[in-house]
Amino acid sequence: MSTPYDQVPYPCNAYAQTHPAHLAMIARLHGLDPAAPEQCRVLEIGCGDGGNLLPLAYVLPGSRFLGIDLAATSIEAGLKHAQAFGLTNIDFQALDLMQLSREDIGEWDYIVAHGVFSWVPEPVRLRLLALCREVLAPQGVAFISYNAHPGSHLRGMVRDMLAYHTENAQDPATKISQGRALMQFLAQSHGTDDEYGALMRSEAQRVLKYDSNHFYHDDLAEINEPFFLHQFADLAGAHGLQYLGDADYSSMHALRYPPEVRDVLAGLGDDVIRAEQYLDFLKCRRFRQSLLCHQEVKVLRQVPPEVLEGLYFASAAKPDSDAVNLLDGSSVTFKGEGSLQLTTSHPLAKVTLAYLGLHWPDRVSLHDLAQAAGGALGSLPEQGSLEHVMTEFLQMGAAEAHAMPAPFATRPTERPRASAWALYQRQFGGGITNLRHQTLHIRDDFGLWLLGQMDGTRTADQIAHEMAATVKPGPDGNLDMNKELQEARELVQKGLAQLAVLGFQLAER
């Protein structure tokens, strides 16, 4: 049976928030004892061509992966890549979710259903929850993403317009082109001081940045049902599952809001769903990535300090000035990725965040953080103080945590070696997955060429010599090889450093 995803393949990328090391981290923060990422079982429902699962199977050879999808063409593509690359710990099967049971696929430690829940009919949606209950391991975690209210009310208005405008389109290509034309028309037909026009321009910008296939399966989809968090939690509860948390851990907390906002939310008591629902109201949240576990599992809402000892931390935050004092009680402002800005006068917090920023994107254990802070401050942090600082950093999004050390090196090694999966993807000319489990697009030819040279057999200087050797003499027939070699060395060193920070270079173990 052909599906819309057979006709128009959905773009499948790697999603860092679905990595077992990320899911395990959040589970541990809530008191669960999930399977170790290095030896776990991962099921992805709606896997497409395996863009999310295949790089996981490569980097976690001791784990087992299964991707299922109704679109047979996508499954065939996933199998083709797995066989071509030689992966033996992953399988893809074209299966109907409505016909699946535990007897068919067994038990899984982590279940991922990204981009499925809001886009299928209600019976399939409910069967997805029931299947999660059936096949999820006792301490397992299920990841389910969906469009969320209240923000999706705005998207819904645009979707209704698009549905009306494209209802007579005879094929996907026509529907896509007509939909894009409508969004451009709506965005360009209002003045700059028009409130409705500002909304249309914002929606057009969001829609038009997507590739055509994404646009077709999201905003032009026949089914696209958003949910409030409390509605989703009630549905999960009716199927023997409970809300564990959000894949974006900091989104569950209000530490980045003013004190008066935090006080109001604190007044809601211990009702986690209610508190997060009001946070969604504050953010006009449009999309959620909810994590579920079995209803019988005891979930802790306060982070056990001892859990942090088994995690690894990273942060891109850096002081906004070089002339700061980390050791006294003066305030220092740190700026990180996106809109993150944090000001603190706490010496331990300043020293810790500065150390993480200096080593970004490497992951540092709590023990090493304590040693570094002790070396800077003159004595090791008091018992529990570093755990408290790191918990607050995680809750406000100033730092991230992982359940396993980084598989990548953040500085060029003697003989730089890229991940074999990145080198495999490079030949196809699309997005390339790094070892941080992100799909990135390397736009410049030099970056792509340099990535291809990172096979672990040559030093940076040898790569530079090869690069200089390709330079042809100018119109006058002259060529200064010393100058060309020096320029090549500088370019190669800079490029290797950039690729390492992006997470493309394997760590030397």
Side-chain angles (χ1 to χ4, degrees), residues 323-354:
V324 297
N325 192 327
L326 301 175
L327 305 180
D328 65 8
S330 61
S331 293
V332 175
T333 297
F334 291 81
K335 293 183 178 180
E337 294 185 310
S339 61
L340 175 69
Q341 182 167 310
L342 165 67
T343 301
T344 179
S345 60
H346 194 298
L348 177 58
K350 292 189 293 183
V351 166
T352 303
L353 206 54

mmCIF file of all heavy atoms in Angstrom, residues 323-354:
data_model
loop_
_atom_site.group_PDB
_atom_site.id
_atom_site.type_symbol
_atom_site.label_atom_id
_atom_site.label_comp_id
_atom_site.label_asym_id
_atom_site.label_seq_id
_atom_site.Cartn_x
_atom_site.Cartn_y
_atom_site.Cartn_z
ATOM 1 N N ALA A 323 38.161 40.890 30.784
ATOM 2 C CA ALA A 323 38.603 41.531 32.023
ATOM 3 C C ALA A 323 37.595 41.269 33.145
ATOM 4 O O ALA A 323 36.849 42.161 33.551
ATOM 5 C CB ALA A 323 38.784 43.035 31.796
ATOM 6 N N VAL A 324 37.531 40.029 33.613
ATOM 7 C CA VAL A 324 36.616 39.681 34.700
ATOM 8 C C VAL A 324 37.401 38.963 35.789
ATOM 9 O O VAL A 324 38.451 38.374 35.549
ATOM 10 C CB VAL A 324 35.477 38.771 34.205
ATOM 11 C CG1 VAL A 324 34.626 39.481 33.183
ATOM 12 C CG2 VAL A 324 36.024 37.463 33.639
ATOM 13 N N ASN A 325 36.859 39.049 36.991
ATOM 14 C CA ASN A 325 37.457 38.353 38.138
ATOM 15 C C ASN A 325 36.523 37.222 38.536
ATOM 16 O O ASN A 325 35.401 37.455 38.970
ATOM 17 C CB ASN A 325 37.675 39.320 39.295
ATOM 18 C CG ASN A 325 38.546 38.705 40.390
ATOM 19 O OD1 ASN A 325 38.491 37.493 40.622
ATOM 20 N ND2 ASN A 325 39.350 39.525 41.035
ATOM 21 N N LEU A 326 36.997 35.998 38.347
ATOM 22 C CA LEU A 326 36.163 34.846 38.661
ATOM 23 C C LEU A 326 36.214 34.458 40.128
ATOM 24 O O LEU A 326 35.368 33.687 40.590
ATOM 25 C CB LEU A 326 36.605 33.649 37.807
ATOM 26 C CG LEU A 326 36.550 33.819 36.288
ATOM 27 C CD1 LEU A 326 37.125 32.586 35.606
ATOM 28 C CD2 LEU A 326 35.132 34.082 35.812
ATOM 29 N N LEU A 327 37.196 34.993 40.861
ATOM 30 C CA LEU A 327 37.453 34.479 42.204
ATOM 31 C C LEU A 327 36.846 35.325 43.312
ATOM 32 O O LEU A 327 36.745 34.854 44.446
ATOM 33 C CB LEU A 327 38.968 34.365 42.428
ATOM 34 C CG LEU A 327 39.717 33.519 41.381
ATOM 35 C CD1 LEU A 327 41.196 33.482 41.710
ATOM 36 C CD2 LEU A 327 39.141 32.111 41.325
ATOM 37 N N ASP A 328 36.430 36.550 43.017
ATOM 38 C CA ASP A 328 35.852 37.380 44.073
ATOM 39 C C ASP A 328 34.324 37.376 43.974
ATOM 40 O O ASP A 328 33.737 36.563 43.268
ATOM 41 C CB ASP A 328 36.407 38.804 44.007
ATOM 42 C CG ASP A 328 36.008 39.527 42.724
ATOM 43 O OD1 ASP A 328 35.186 38.981 41.951
ATOM 44 O OD2 ASP A 328 36.507 40.642 42.494
ATOM 45 N N GLY A 329 33.678 38.298 44.650
ATOM 46 C CA GLY A 329 32.217 38.345 44.661
ATOM 47 C C GLY A 329 31.623 39.268 43.633
ATOM 48 O O GLY A 329 30.421 39.586 43.709
ATOM 49 N N SER A 330 32.420 39.702 42.648
ATOM 50 C CA SER A 330 31.891 40.584 41.614
ATOM 51 C C SER A 330 31.027 39.809 40.630
ATOM 52 O O SER A 330 31.226 38.610 40.417
ATOM 53 C CB SER A 330 33.042 41.269 40.863
ATOM 54 O OG SER A 330 33.867 40.297 40.239
ATOM 55 N N SER A 331 30.092 40.513 40.022
ATOM 56 C CA SER A 331 29.177 39.873 39.075
ATOM 57 C C SER A 331 29.830 39.742 37.700
ATOM 58 O O SER A 331 30.515 40.654 37.231
ATOM 59 C CB SER A 331 27.887 40.684 38.939
ATOM 60 O OG SER A 331 27.154 40.646 40.140
ATOM 61 N N VAL A 332 29.607 38.601 37.074
ATOM 62 C CA VAL A 332 30.093 38.341 35.722
ATOM 63 C C VAL A 332 28.926 37.842 34.879
ATOM 64 O O VAL A 332 28.146 36.998 35.341
ATOM 65 C CB VAL A 332 31.229 37.294 35.722
ATOM 66 C CG1 VAL A 332 31.643 36.956 34.285
ATOM 67 C CG2 VAL A 332 32.436 37.808 36.509
ATOM 68 N N THR A 333 28.804 38.369 33.683
ATOM 69 C CA THR A 333 27.751 37.930 32.767
ATOM 70 C C THR A 333 28.331 36.944 31.757
ATOM 71 O O THR A 333 29.347 37.216 31.119
ATOM 72 C CB THR A 333 27.136 39.122 32.028
ATOM 73 O OG1 THR A 333 26.521 39.994 32.980
ATOM 74 C CG2 THR A 333 26.088 38.662 31.025
ATOM 75 N N PHE A 334 27.678 35.805 31.640
ATOM 76 C CA PHE A 334 28.061 34.771 30.678
ATOM 77 C C PHE A 334 27.015 34.738 29.560
ATOM 78 O O PHE A 334 25.814 34.842 29.822
ATOM 79 C CB PHE A 334 28.131 33.400 31.345
ATOM 80 C CG PHE A 334 29.263 33.239 32.319
ATOM 81 C CD1 PHE A 334 29.164 33.723 33.614
ATOM 82 C CD2 PHE A 334 30.430 32.601 31.935
ATOM 83 C CE1 PHE A 334 30.202 33.572 34.519
ATOM 84 C CE2 PHE A 334 31.477 32.438 32.830
ATOM 85 C CZ PHE A 334 31.363 32.928 34.124
ATOM 86 N N LYS A 335 27.495 34.573 28.339
ATOM 87 C CA LYS A 335 26.598 34.451 27.194
ATOM 88 C C LYS A 335 26.865 33.126 26.506
ATOM 89 O O LYS A 335 28.014 32.742 26.299
ATOM 90 C CB LYS A 335 26.793 35.613 26.219
ATOM 91 C CG LYS A 335 26.356 36.955 26.809
ATOM 92 C CD LYS A 335 26.494 38.082 25.791
ATOM 93 C CE LYS A 335 26.005 39.399 26.386
ATOM 94 N NZ LYS A 335 26.133 40.520 25.413
ATOM 95 N N GLY A 336 25.779 32.425 26.170
ATOM 96 C CA GLY A 336 25.899 31.115 25.551
ATOM 97 C C GLY A 336 25.196 31.054 24.223
ATOM 98 O O GLY A 336 24.984 32.071 23.558
ATOM 99 N N GLU A 337 24.794 29.858 23.816
ATOM 100 C CA GLU A 337 24.121 29.675 22.539
ATOM 101 C C GLU A 337 22.730 30.279 22.583
ATOM 102 O O GLU A 337 22.069 30.290 23.625
ATOM 103 C CB GLU A 337 24.051 28.189 22.201
ATOM 104 C CG GLU A 337 25.421 27.565 21.943
ATOM 105 C CD GLU A 337 25.323 26.122 21.504
ATOM 106 O OE1 GLU A 337 24.628 25.339 22.166
ATOM 107 O OE2 GLU A 337 25.944 25.783 20.478
ATOM 108 N N GLY A 338 22.274 30.786 21.452
ATOM 109 C CA GLY A 338 20.951 31.384 21.393
ATOM 110 C C GLY A 338 20.888 32.666 22.212
ATOM 111 O O GLY A 338 21.791 33.502 22.171
ATOM 112 N N SER A 339 19.841 32.802 22.996
ATOM 113 C CA SER A 339 19.634 34.021 23.789
ATOM 114 C C SER A 339 20.101 33.878 25.226
ATOM 115 O O SER A 339 19.819 34.741 26.062
ATOM 116 C CB SER A 339 18.139 34.385 23.775
ATOM 117 O OG SER A 339 17.368 33.341 24.359
ATOM 118 N N LEU A 340 20.829 32.803 25.529
ATOM 119 C CA LEU A 340 21.245 32.573 26.914
ATOM 120 C C LEU A 340 22.137 33.694 27.416
ATOM 121 O O LEU A 340 23.137 34.046 26.805
ATOM 122 C CB LEU A 340 21.990 31.244 27.031
ATOM 123 C CG LEU A 340 22.582 30.976 28.427
ATOM 124 C CD1 LEU A 340 21.464 30.737 29.437
ATOM 125 C CD2 LEU A 340 23.545 29.810 28.398
ATOM 126 N N GLN A 341 21.763 34.248 28.569
ATOM 127 C CA GLN A 341 22.585 35.234 29.259
ATOM 128 C C GLN A 341 22.399 35.034 30.755
ATOM 129 O O GLN A 341 21.280 35.048 31.258
ATOM 130 C CB GLN A 341 22.194 36.651 28.843
ATOM 131 C CG GLN A 341 23.054 37.730 29.491
ATOM 132 C CD GLN A 341 22.864 39.095 28.845
ATOM 133 O OE1 GLN A 341 22.939 39.224 27.627
ATOM 134 N NE2 GLN A 341 22.595 40.101 29.665
ATOM 135 N N LEU A 342 23.493 34.831 31.443
ATOM 136 C CA LEU A 342 23.447 34.513 32.872
ATOM 137 C C LEU A 342 24.442 35.393 33.605
ATOM 138 O O LEU A 342 25.615 35.467 33.230
ATOM 139 C CB LEU A 342 23.799 33.031 33.073
ATOM 140 C CG LEU A 342 24.157 32.588 34.497
ATOM 141 C CD1 LEU A 342 22.941 32.691 35.406
ATOM 142 C CD2 LEU A 342 24.697 31.168 34.492
ATOM 143 N N THR A 343 23.980 36.063 34.648
ATOM 144 C CA THR A 343 24.850 36.888 35.476
ATOM 145 C C THR A 343 24.914 36.294 36.876
ATOM 146 O O THR A 343 23.879 36.024 37.488
ATOM 147 C CB THR A 343 24.338 38.342 35.552
ATOM 148 O OG1 THR A 343 24.287 38.888 34.229
ATOM 149 C CG2 THR A 343 25.260 39.195 36.402
ATOM 150 N N THR A 344 26.125 36.072 37.370
ATOM 151 C CA THR A 344 26.306 35.486 38.694
ATOM 152 C C THR A 344 27.531 36.088 39.371
ATOM 153 O O THR A 344 28.497 36.479 38.710
ATOM 154 C CB THR A 344 26.456 33.955 38.612
ATOM 155 O OG1 THR A 344 26.659 33.436 39.929
ATOM 156 C CG2 THR A 344 27.638 33.562 37.735
ATOM 157 N N SER A 345 27.472 36.170 40.698
ATOM 158 C CA SER A 345 28.617 36.637 41.494
ATOM 159 C C SER A 345 29.202 35.501 42.325
ATOM 160 O O SER A 345 30.157 35.710 43.071
ATOM 161 C CB SER A 345 28.178 37.789 42.408
ATOM 162 O OG SER A 345 27.144 37.354 43.299
ATOM 163 N N HIS A 346 28.643 34.313 42.193
ATOM 164 C CA HIS A 346 29.068 33.164 42.990
ATOM 165 C C HIS A 346 30.390 32.632 42.428
ATOM 166 O O HIS A 346 30.436 32.166 41.276
ATOM 167 C CB HIS A 346 27.984 32.085 42.912
ATOM 168 C CG HIS A 346 28.129 30.995 43.920
ATOM 169 N ND1 HIS A 346 29.223 30.148 43.959
ATOM 170 C CD2 HIS A 346 27.318 30.596 44.937
ATOM 171 C CE1 HIS A 346 29.081 29.281 44.930
ATOM 172 N NE2 HIS A 346 27.928 29.538 45.551
ATOM 173 N N PRO A 347 31.477 32.679 43.191
ATOM 174 C CA PRO A 347 32.788 32.249 42.657
ATOM 175 C C PRO A 347 32.780 30.826 42.096
ATOM 176 O O PRO A 347 33.346 30.579 41.025
ATOM 177 C CB PRO A 347 33.720 32.373 43.869
ATOM 178 C CG PRO A 347 33.089 33.425 44.718
ATOM 179 C CD PRO A 347 31.612 33.236 44.550
ATOM 180 N N LEU A 348 32.143 29.872 42.794
ATOM 181 C CA LEU A 348 32.126 28.497 42.307
ATOM 182 C C LEU A 348 31.382 28.408 40.977
ATOM 183 O O LEU A 348 31.818 27.723 40.044
ATOM 184 C CB LEU A 348 31.480 27.569 43.335
ATOM 185 C CG LEU A 348 31.343 26.096 42.920
ATOM 186 C CD1 LEU A 348 32.702 25.498 42.581
ATOM 187 C CD2 LEU A 348 30.658 25.287 44.023
ATOM 188 N N ALA A 349 30.256 29.116 40.868
ATOM 189 C CA ALA A 349 29.489 29.117 39.621
ATOM 190 C C ALA A 349 30.300 29.743 38.487
ATOM 191 O O ALA A 349 30.323 29.228 37.365
ATOM 192 C CB ALA A 349 28.176 29.859 39.815
ATOM 193 N N LYS A 350 30.993 30.837 38.780
ATOM 194 C CA LYS A 350 31.781 31.516 37.749
ATOM 195 C C LYS A 350 32.926 30.639 37.258
ATOM 196 O O LYS A 350 33.144 30.498 36.050
ATOM 197 C CB LYS A 350 32.314 32.844 38.290
ATOM 198 C CG LYS A 350 31.242 33.899 38.553
ATOM 199 C CD LYS A 350 31.842 35.254 38.866
ATOM 200 C CE LYS A 350 32.595 35.277 40.180
ATOM 201 N NZ LYS A 350 33.117 36.621 40.507
ATOM 202 N N VAL A 351 33.653 30.063 38.197
ATOM 203 C CA VAL A 351 34.806 29.236 37.831
ATOM 204 C C VAL A 351 34.357 28.009 37.037
ATOM 205 O O VAL A 351 34.969 27.639 36.022
ATOM 206 C CB VAL A 351 35.582 28.822 39.101
ATOM 207 C CG1 VAL A 351 36.566 27.697 38.785
ATOM 208 C CG2 VAL A 351 36.319 30.016 39.683
ATOM 209 N N THR A 352 33.277 27.382 37.471
ATOM 210 C CA THR A 352 32.791 26.164 36.810
ATOM 211 C C THR A 352 32.330 26.454 35.391
ATOM 212 O O THR A 352 32.690 25.745 34.439
ATOM 213 C CB THR A 352 31.639 25.542 37.618
ATOM 214 O OG1 THR A 352 32.091 25.266 38.948
ATOM 215 C CG2 THR A 352 31.157 24.261 36.970
ATOM 216 N N LEU A 353 31.540 27.511 35.228
ATOM 217 C CA LEU A 353 31.026 27.832 33.902
ATOM 218 C C LEU A 353 32.151 28.273 32.968
ATOM 219 O O LEU A 353 32.156 27.917 31.780
ATOM 220 C CB LEU A 353 29.959 28.935 34.018
ATOM 221 C CG LEU A 353 28.900 28.990 32.913
ATOM 222 C CD1 LEU A 353 28.203 27.647 32.758
ATOM 223 C CD2 LEU A 353 27.885 30.081 33.197
ATOM 224 N N ALA A 354 33.108 29.015 33.494
ATOM 225 C CA ALA A 354 34.246 29.436 32.672
ATOM 226 C C ALA A 354 35.065 28.235 32.219
ATOM 227 O O ALA A 354 35.537 28.179 31.072
ATOM 228 C CB ALA A 354 35.119 30.421 33.451
#
